[in-house]
């Protein structure tokens, strides 16, 4: 899916942020350092994860994104030469950004976790789609289905990011939640792929998590509840 770029680092060492450090910009090093705890956790889970740094992002590329290729997860960083790299952190003092970057990394690693489990775009057990969606153009139906599937995965990943913070930085939960809630409140198109408000609303109280020892396992109940509200 992604052509070879400036850096492809197999996440197999303890200090992933130090890989090829001489080739990285100060901004890239800062983001990788902040994401370090999540990357270390991905190693514990033995996720097949590679990190790719884009030297020249495309218009609209977000700082972190997850892709998949030949059974492996590709965490793509698009910070270099990207004027919009830190727009998502606009107005937040640099000293307070680290935990937000960590949450973003947890969001992306949760995508990888779902993919490796073989449940990407799958509904949880007991859920089925009902109803009859119609359109004269079959491509519109396909696009609508793709958007629903994306929205569900984004909802899961947002909850996973919050669960990660609840488990690892509980004193920072309110800060991260307010930021994420604000980001999602600005969604341009309701019910689009990143309209995860139905799930984020359910996680306003960190006590909603804590039922499972592993952060990504702690998402199931709220994700199911949000599926009913979102659909």
């Amino acid at each position: 899916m992604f052509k070879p770029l400036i850096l492809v680092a197999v996440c197999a060492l303890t200090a992933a942020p130090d890989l090829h450090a001489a080739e990285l910009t100060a901004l890239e090093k800062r983001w990788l350092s902040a994401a370090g705890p999540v990357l270390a956790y991905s190693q514990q889970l033995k996720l097949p994860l590679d990190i790719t740094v884009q030297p020249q992002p495309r218009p609209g590329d977000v700082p972190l994104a997850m892709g998949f290729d030949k059974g492996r997860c590709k965490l793509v960083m698009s910070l270099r030469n990207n004027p919009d790299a830190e727009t998502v952190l606009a107005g937040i003092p640099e000293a307070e950004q680290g935990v937000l970057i960590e949450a973003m990394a947890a969001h992306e690693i949760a995508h990888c976790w779902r993919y490796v489990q073989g449940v990407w775009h799958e509904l949880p057990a007991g859920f089925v789609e009902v109803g009859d969606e119609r359109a004269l153009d079959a491509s519109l139906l396909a696009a609508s289905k793709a958007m629903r599937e994306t929205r569900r995965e984004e909802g899961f990943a947002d909850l996973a990011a919050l669960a990660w913070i609840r488990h690892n930085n509980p004193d920072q939960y309110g800060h991260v939640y307010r930021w994420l809630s604000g980001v999602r409140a600005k969604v341009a198109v309701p019910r689009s792929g990143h309209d995860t408000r139905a799930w984020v609303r359910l996680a306003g109280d960190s006590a909603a998590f804590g039922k499972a020892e592993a952060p990504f396992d702690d998402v199931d109940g709220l994700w199911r509840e949000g599926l009913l509200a979102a659909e």
Side-chain angles (χ1 to χ4, degrees):
M1 182 179 297
F2 299 105
K3 61 184 180 181
L5 298 171
I6 190 169
L7 168 67
V8 177
V10 178
C11 192
L13 301 179
T14 301
D18 292 333
L19 291 173
H20 300 273
E23 301 177 16
L24 300 177
T25 67
L27 181 61
E28 289 161 351
K29 291 176 185 178
R30 183 164 66 85
W31 275 64
L32 280 172
S33 178
V38 184
L39 298 178
Y41 185 61
S42 74
Q43 295 168 0
Q44 295 177 30
L45 297 178
K46 301 187 185 305
L47 297 180
L49 178 67
D50 304 324
I51 302 172
T52 301
V53 176
Q54 291 202 87
Q56 188 61 54
R58 297 160 298 187
D61 276 353
V62 295
L64 293 178
M66 183 64 68
F68 312 113
D69 186 31
K70 300 177 182 177
R72 298 193 62 83
C73 303
K74 306 292 184 178
L75 180 62
V76 180
M77 295 185 64
S78 301
L79 296 168
R80 187 175 308 197
N81 301 317
N82 185 352
D84 300 320
E86 294 193 290
T87 300
V88 70
L89 299 176
I92 299 172
E94 185 173 317
E96 300 176 12
Q97 292 178 5
V99 71
L100 304 181
I101 296 170
E102 186 175 342
M104 283 188 268
H107 173 109
E108 300 304 334
I109 296 303
H111 285 327
C112 179
W113 185 76
R114 288 268 300 164
Y115 175 77
V116 170
Q117 287 195 321
V119 292
W120 185 247
H121 285 174
E122 295 291 333
L123 288 167
F127 278 73
V128 294
E129 284 194 321
V130 296
D132 185 19
E133 190 174 46
R134 300 181 181 182
L136 295 178
D137 188 341
S139 66
L140 295 178
L141 291 176
S144 177
K145 182 176 185 293
M147 189 172 293
R148 288 196 306 275
E149 292 174 342
T150 297
R151 183 168 63 248
R152 293 164 183 165
E153 292 296 342
E154 293 299 324
F156 182 96
D158 274 0
L159 291 176
L162 292 170
W164 171 268
I165 298 300
R166 162 66 174 77
H167 280 250
N168 294 279
N169 298 285
D171 59 324
Q172 294 291 308
Y173 188 88
H175 171 50
V176 175
Y177 180 82
R178 288 189 293 273
W179 167 78
L180 179 59
S181 181
V183 169
R184 294 315 188 199
K186 299 174 185 176
V187 62
V189 181
R191 297 178 62 78
S192 60
H194 284 82
D195 184 2
T196 64
R197 292 173 294 176
W199 288 277
V200 173
R201 279 194 294 265
L202 296 173
D205 186 346
S206 66
F209 299 108
K211 300 176 179 63
E213 292 186 8
F216 297 163
D217 290 329
D218 212 3
V219 172
D220 187 67
L222 288 184
W223 189 49
R224 288 169 175 264
E225 188 176 344
L227 285 171
L228 295 174
E231 301 304 317

